[in-house]
Amino acid sequence: MQYSLGFDLSTQQLKCVAVDQRMRTCAEVKVDFDADLPHYNTNKGVYIDGDTVNSPVGQWVEAMDLVMERLVASGLDLGLVVAVSGSCQQHGSVFWSEDASELLAGLQKGKGSLVDQLVPGAFSRPTAPNWQDHSTQKQCQEMEASVGGPQSMAQITGSRAHFRFTGPQILKVIETEPEAYESTHAITLVSNFATSLLCGKLVELEESDACGMNLYDIKGRTFHKPLIDLLESKRVAPTGPSLLSKLLGEPIKVQDTRSTPVCAGHIAPYFSERYGINPECQVYPFTGDNLATLCSLPMGNGDVMVSLGTSTTVLLVTEQYHPSPNYHLFLHPTIPDHYMAMICYCNGSLAREQVRNLLNVACHSPSQRVHPSDWHAFNDAVADDSLDTSGELGVYFPLGEIVPSVPAVTSRVLFDRGSGEILEHVHQFSDTRHDAKVIVESQALSCRVRIAPLLTARPGSFHTTVPANTMVKFDYDSMCLLDLVDRRPERCFFVGGASRNNAIVQRFAKVLGATEGNYRSENPNACAIGGCYKALWSYEAGRSGNCTEFSQFLHKNMPADDIARVSDPDEAAWDHYNHSIVALSNLEGELGKAK
């Protein structure tokens, strides 16, 4: 028996999962930062000072020892661990000192813990910016202006400039902490910080995660020189290495056409001596958490994952590089010549819960004492195909929305199914049950129209009374309606809290129209499991010299009960929702003008 380990270094905890060669989970341990390491005085893993949000690097270093101790206590034979990989929170940056390389190389069991040997000597800044940080508006504006605006930035780097992205964060350190920056020898993301810790040496960035920096030219597969030069020009008194040198050169090209995936190195002697890990264990580059989530599912080109949480997140595997300021594109961590698209919505479960609460009040008398969180009335309405909402549409944004970019608003409209033109704005529909169905339909329809430009066209039958040459516009994309409805996902995978709600999932599936079916995964450890699978795939490819395509590897080897099929394609439903696309385009256009 042999094992692979997958780590997940998130904002609030460090988790590690072990799987065997049959991809069965054999061990799971975690360290909760606030509870297990209270001396760092963090709140949900971070320090918050207004718009500035940081995490103590020492907390992560100490957690690595503690999670290893718990792995040993679990009874797992670490001498049988042959491969390690994992995921980390995206966009964080760790600043290493000139002594870092020597200290990492000199890690020894007899010198004490990792914290004793590395903190503070290995780091030029004691904290790392966290993805929740909102303090870099000035830097984002500078960087976007330098390349011609948000659309140009998205075209180059896959995303417009964002507060949390590493490039603006580094620029802020250059401008506000010049001494700390000049004393920095290396800058890593959290992903290659973890890889470096386990390898006992500084390891280059992993290319897919590097796409979340606003510095990497995705099509050119290199750092974008004008952006690098901009940051260099802001240095007051340059005394140390260049920024490219601090970034350890170009990232590891995980997508190169090669027979086997890249190995970052063997496990550091410190871990084999202290915890008994197989000294020949190979460490494969860690990646970002969303990228690792993709690796937990057998997703190939045209497959979509919908995370139905407090917010809604859509991940898509695509071979098309079609960037937009309203979403993100990253190189795929395991599939050559493919990308991960990520679309983030603020409003998800919170908005549905508000409609659920209104419906419970409307449908029940006070004497019935329905629990506020009871979903029965909501689910009945969502699943009711006889409930005619075909000429109704609404947007329900209790929070200002990212996609489309509009303030908090609720808007209900009636529209003409023949043309898609909006007929009337209404304060409420004829029945509150309609709101339950319409909110799920509108959320799913927003996902459908925004993934369409990233999908491969599948010319087929077109059933709608709306003229096929009608133009629709969503965010920065204008498309002919015919082109939009000819683009459908292969498979849809549903994850997150609301993925357990059959009514919501089934309605989403009807709207999204996957041609090969719809699936649900309830794995709570998707990021760590994705790391396990990536490690196992990489190890097997290196051992055999034959690199099977990653999604095929998972499809062949994953345990059957990891994913449940929830529904088949529904052609009639796909055609039914074609009528609503023009209406949604018109409604969002009105909201954008009113902003």
Side-chain angles (χ1 to χ4, degrees):
M1 187 63 66
Q2 295 175 329
Y3 303 110
S4 297
L5 300 183
F7 290 85
D8 175 23
L9 176 48
S10 64
T11 303
Q12 299 187 48
Q13 62 183 16
L14 173 62
K15 183 178 292 184
C16 186
V17 173
V19 300
D20 63 18
Q21 290 164 292
R22 298 180 182 178
M23 294 187 169
R24 297 174 301 189
T25 299
C26 303
E28 175 191 334
V29 296
K30 68 177 181 178
V31 174
D32 182 276
F33 297 146
D34 288 2
D36 294 321
L37 301 170
H39 46 284
Y40 288 96
N41 298 311
T42 55
N43 179 17
K44 296 184 177 179
V46 298
Y47 300 137
I48 301 175
D49 181 11
D51 288 337
T52 302
V53 184
N54 284 285
S55 297
V57 179
Q59 175 178 255
W60 300 340
V61 175
E62 189 168 349
M64 184 62 75
D65 265 329
L66 187 51
V67 85
M68 295 304 301
E69 290 172 5
R70 292 179 177 178
L71 267 180
V72 172
S74 75
L76 185 75
D77 185 350
L78 298 185
L80 299 178
V81 174
V82 295
V84 172
S85 191
S87 77
C88 295
Q89 54 188 275
Q90 292 187 256
H91 316 299
S93 45
V94 177
F95 292 72
W96 301 78
S97 73
E98 187 175 0
D99 297 327
S101 293
E102 183 178 349
L103 290 171
L104 283 169
L107 289 171
Q108 293 180 19
K109 174 184 176 181
K111 292 183 179 180
S113 68
L114 290 173
V115 164
D116 294 336
Q117 298 181 63
L118 294 177
V119 180
F123 305 103
S124 54
R125 288 184 88 246
T127 61
N130 177 263
W131 61 270
Q132 299 169 86
D133 187 275
H134 276 65
S135 66
T136 57
Q137 181 174 355
K138 172 180 177 291
Q139 290 75 23
C140 288
Q141 292 172 342
E142 286 183 82
M143 292 180 68
E144 283 190 343
S146 75
V147 295
Q151 287 178 279
S152 295
M153 178 67 86
Q155 183 65 41
I156 297 164
T157 71
S159 305
R160 69 171 301 168
H162 286 275
F163 298 143
R164 63 189 183 275
F165 274 44
T166 320
Q169 292 290 342
I170 293 174
L171 181 54
K172 179 189 170 187
V173 173
I174 291 173
E175 292 180 331
T176 63
E177 303 175 51
E179 292 184 2
Y181 181 80
E182 295 305 331
S183 66
T184 296
H185 175 74
I187 302 172
T188 63
L189 297 174
V190 186
S191 54
N192 62 317
F193 156 81
T195 311
S196 298
L197 204 60
L198 289 169
C199 288
K201 64 177 181 179
L202 290 173
V203 175
E204 297 90 336
L205 296 160
E206 187 263 359
E207 187 180 27
S208 298
D209 205 19
C211 297
M213 300 177 73
N214 281 142
L215 292 175
Y216 198 63
D217 182 338
I218 293 180
K219 291 297 287 183
R221 305 283 295 275
T222 185
F223 283 111
H224 188 65
K225 189 176 186 301
L227 287 168
I228 294 293
D229 289 346
L230 171 68
L231 270 62
E232 285 282 9
S233 72
K234 299 295 183 177
R235 297 173 66 175
V236 177
T239 57
S242 69
L243 175 56
L244 274 179
S245 176
K246 292 177 191 285
L247 293 172
L248 304 174
E250 294 293 338
I252 297 172
K253 300 293 193 293
V254 296
Q255 287 199 354
D256 279 356
T257 52
R258 62 181 74 221
S259 58
T260 59
V262 176
C263 177
H266 288 96
I267 196 79
Y270 172 87
F271 294 99
S272 57
E273 294 167 1
R274 189 178 185 112
Y275 301 109
I277 295 183
N278 173 13
E280 297 301 314
C281 172
Q282 298 185 53
V283 181
Y284 294 94
F286 283 44
T287 191
D289 49 10
N290 290 296
L291 294 154
T293 299
L294 278 189
C295 295
S296 71
L297 295 168
M299 292 177 61
N301 182 49
D303 289 338
V304 175
M305 188 207 79
V306 182
S307 177
L308 297 169
T310 302
S311 57
T312 301
T313 302
V314 181
L315 302 181
L316 167 69
V317 179
T318 177
E319 59 186 357
Q320 300 192 47
Y321 187 72
H322 183 85
S324 166
N326 276 43
Y327 53 74
H328 311 281
L329 281 175
F330 300 76
L331 285 161
H332 196 285
T334 57
I335 305 177
D337 303 318
H338 282 70
Y339 307 92
M340 179 192 79
M342 181 169 70
I343 307 172
C344 301
Y345 297 87
C346 283
N347 295 284
S349 293
L350 175 63
R352 294 190 295 269
E353 287 168 5
Q354 290 193 358
V355 172
R356 175 204 64 192
N357 295 345
L358 291 173
L359 184 57
N360 281 340
V361 171
C363 293
H364 301 93
S365 65
S367 62
Q368 289 179 289
R369 297 180 180 179
V370 176
H371 193 277
S373 61
D374 187 283
W375 286 93
H376 285 91
F378 183 95
N379 292 345
D380 286 346
V382 172
D384 188 354
D385 286 327
S386 67
L387 185 66
D388 187 8
T389 57
S390 56
E392 300 171 346
L393 188 66
V395 293
Y396 304 77
F397 300 155
L399 300 175
E401 189 50 87
I402 302 171
V403 184
S405 178
V406 295
V409 63
T410 297
S411 181
R412 300 174 180 85
V413 298
L414 306 179
F415 68 91
D416 181 88
R417 282 177 55 81
S419 65
E421 295 301 314
I422 294 174
L423 300 174
E424 181 183 2
H425 286 259
V426 295
H427 178 66
Q428 61 186 30
F429 295 126
S430 60
D431 185 334
T432 310
R433 296 182 74 236
H434 287 224
D435 284 294
K437 190 173 180 181
V438 169
I439 187 176
V440 177
E441 291 174 327
S442 66
Q443 288 179 338
L445 192 66
S446 179
C447 296
R448 170 176 163 175
V449 298
R450 287 177 167 88
I451 64 176
L454 296 160
L455 296 169
T456 303
R458 301 167 175 274
S461 57
F462 182 71
H463 300 289
T464 179
T465 55
V466 180
N469 61 353
T470 301
M471 296 299 295
V472 292
K473 186 174 188 296
F474 295 99
D475 312 321
Y476 294 82
D477 280 314
S478 293
M479 296 182 70
C480 173
L481 181 62
L482 177 60
D483 289 336
L484 191 147
V485 299
D486 274 344
R487 299 169 186 265
R488 298 173 63 173
E490 293 268 353
R491 295 177 295 175
C492 286
F493 296 86
F494 294 94
V495 302
S499 68
R500 294 186 290 273
N501 184 313
N502 286 327
I504 293 173
V505 167
Q506 295 287 2
R507 187 59 58 184
F508 256 82
K510 288 177 182 291
V511 177
L512 292 176
T515 60
E516 301 298 328
N518 303 280
Y519 301 82
R520 172 168 41 223
S521 172
E522 296 186 12
N523 192 328
N525 302 318
C527 294
I529 288 292
C532 286
Y533 291 171
K534 183 172 180 286
L536 180 59
W537 167 75
S538 301
Y539 176 77
E540 293 293 343
R543 186 173 65 170
S544 67
N546 180 24
C547 189
T548 305
E549 199 275 321
F550 184 74
S551 61
Q552 295 177 8
F553 175 81
L554 293 193
H555 184 74
K556 178 181 178 181
N557 295 290
M558 281 181 64
D561 56 357
D562 274 14
I563 298 173
R565 188 177 180 94
V566 294
S567 67
D568 295 327
D570 187 334
E571 299 300 322
W574 169 260
D575 288 333
H576 173 81
Y577 289 106
N578 291 336
H579 296 84
S580 305
I581 293 173
V582 177
L584 182 63
S585 176
N586 291 333
L587 178 55
E588 288 191 3
E590 290 184 3
L591 296 177
K593 291 176 183 177
K595 183 172 63 170

